[in-house]
């Protein structure tokens, strides 16, 4: 199973939109998606604070920055295979 992290933080409306998009479009039999609150680590805040939400593939390090919709999400996932 491929592991992905959704970088975000509490109270981030765009993060909630990205989460809903992922839930509706990602096959959870193929992907495990973990939410990461960037506010809990200074290094993550430095890297992602102005970019969230960001979907990160843990295997390759590939990142999908916001804004993204279903087509961009599908393309990102297809490139990971």
């Amino acid at each position: 199973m491929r592991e992905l992290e959704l970088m975000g933080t509490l109270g981030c409306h765009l993060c909630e939109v990205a989460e809903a998009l992922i839930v509706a479009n990602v096959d959870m039999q193929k992907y495990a998606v973990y939410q990461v609150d960037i506010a809990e680590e200074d290094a993550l805040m430095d890297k992602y604070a102005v970019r969230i939400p960001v979907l990160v593939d843990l295997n390759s390090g590939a990142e999908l920055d916001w804004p993204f919709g279903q087509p961009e999400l599908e393309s990102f996932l297809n490139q990971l295979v």
Side-chain angles (χ1 to χ4, degrees), residues 1 3 6 9 11 13 15-16 24 30 35-36 38 46 49 52 57 59-60 65-66 68 71-74 77 81:
M1 179 174 290
E3 295 181 313
L6 179 60
T9 195
H13 172 70
C15 300
E16 293 170 4
K30 293 181 181 180
Q35 291 183 301
V36 176
I38 65 167
D46 291 344
I52 60 172
D57 174 50
N59 188 45
S60 68
D65 287 13
W66 190 261
F68 58 85
E72 294 84 8
L73 178 58
E74 287 181 11
L77 296 175
V81 177

Side-chain angles (χ1 to χ4, degrees), residues 44-71:
L44 294 178
M45 281 294 291
D46 291 344
K47 185 172 183 177
Y48 294 109
V50 297
R51 298 172 48 205
I52 60 172
V54 178
L55 188 61
V56 180
D57 174 50
L58 294 182
N59 188 45
S60 68
E63 297 181 346
L64 178 62
D65 287 13
W66 190 261
F68 58 85
Q70 180 190 16

Side-chain angles (χ1 to χ4, degrees), residues 26-45:
V26 173
D27 182 351
M28 296 302 174
Q29 299 296 325
K30 293 181 181 180
Y31 300 95
V33 182
Y34 307 102
Q35 291 183 301
V36 176
D37 189 339
I38 65 167
E40 296 178 5
E41 286 188 42
D42 290 342
L44 294 178
M45 281 294 291

